[in-house]
Amino acid sequence: MDQLPAALERAGNEQSWAVADAISRVLENSEELHSWRRHLLSACMKGLVAMYSSSKDESKQEVERSMLLRLEELLCVVEEVDPDDWCSLVKTGLKYRYRDETFLKVLNVGIQLLYKEESSL
């Protein structure tokens, strides 16, 4: 379980995300759930950055879309991110996906959630 977030960071690893979802369901009513989701959020952002950097031509649109929707869901639940992960995602995403409607929608959601007055950023 400790090595799974690192595996999730690699681009296009849908099977590992299925395992992560199963672990999330098992942890549903435990104290570890929030920490687990923070690890997943970080892995999701790093995975998207890796995907954007390696696939500049948007060839994996469906995988990216599912990762972006997962990112949006995790942002809404966790409401805090590592500033370096967020900065890297925004910079790389805007560089390679500035025309992608889903990316821009999730970016807007993230900005609304993360830049509230009481936010950690």
Side-chain angles (χ1 to χ4, degrees), residues 17-106:
W17 280 104
V19 173
D21 290 340
I23 292 171
S24 295
R25 285 189 295 275
V26 169
L27 294 175
E28 191 62 42
N29 294 316
S30 76
E31 296 175 6
E32 299 172 2
L33 182 60
H34 187 71
S35 174
W36 174 247
R37 285 181 172 158
R38 285 180 55 210
H39 288 296
L40 292 181
L41 179 60
S42 178
C44 187
M45 287 189 287
K46 288 176 181 174
L48 281 165
V49 168
M51 210 177 300
Y52 293 161
S53 297
S54 68
S55 178
K56 297 171 178 72
D57 62 355
E58 301 182 35
S59 62
K60 298 181 179 179
Q61 277 189 318
E62 196 52 44
V63 175
E64 288 180 14
R65 183 169 161 26
S66 70
M67 288 286 287
L68 284 166
L69 295 176
R70 181 179 302 277
L71 175 64
E72 180 179 12
E73 177 185 320
L74 288 166
L75 281 170
C76 290
V77 174
V78 177
E79 294 187 344
E80 60 183 291
V81 297
D82 178 85
D84 292 334
D85 291 345
W86 177 249
C87 182
S88 182
L89 174 69
V90 171
K91 181 180 175 182
T92 308
L94 288 174
K95 183 175 183 179
Y96 297 115
R97 299 297 187 268
Y98 64 93
R99 293 182 184 168
D100 184 289
E101 184 179 335
T102 306
F103 170 75
L104 295 173
K105 176 183 169 277
V106 173

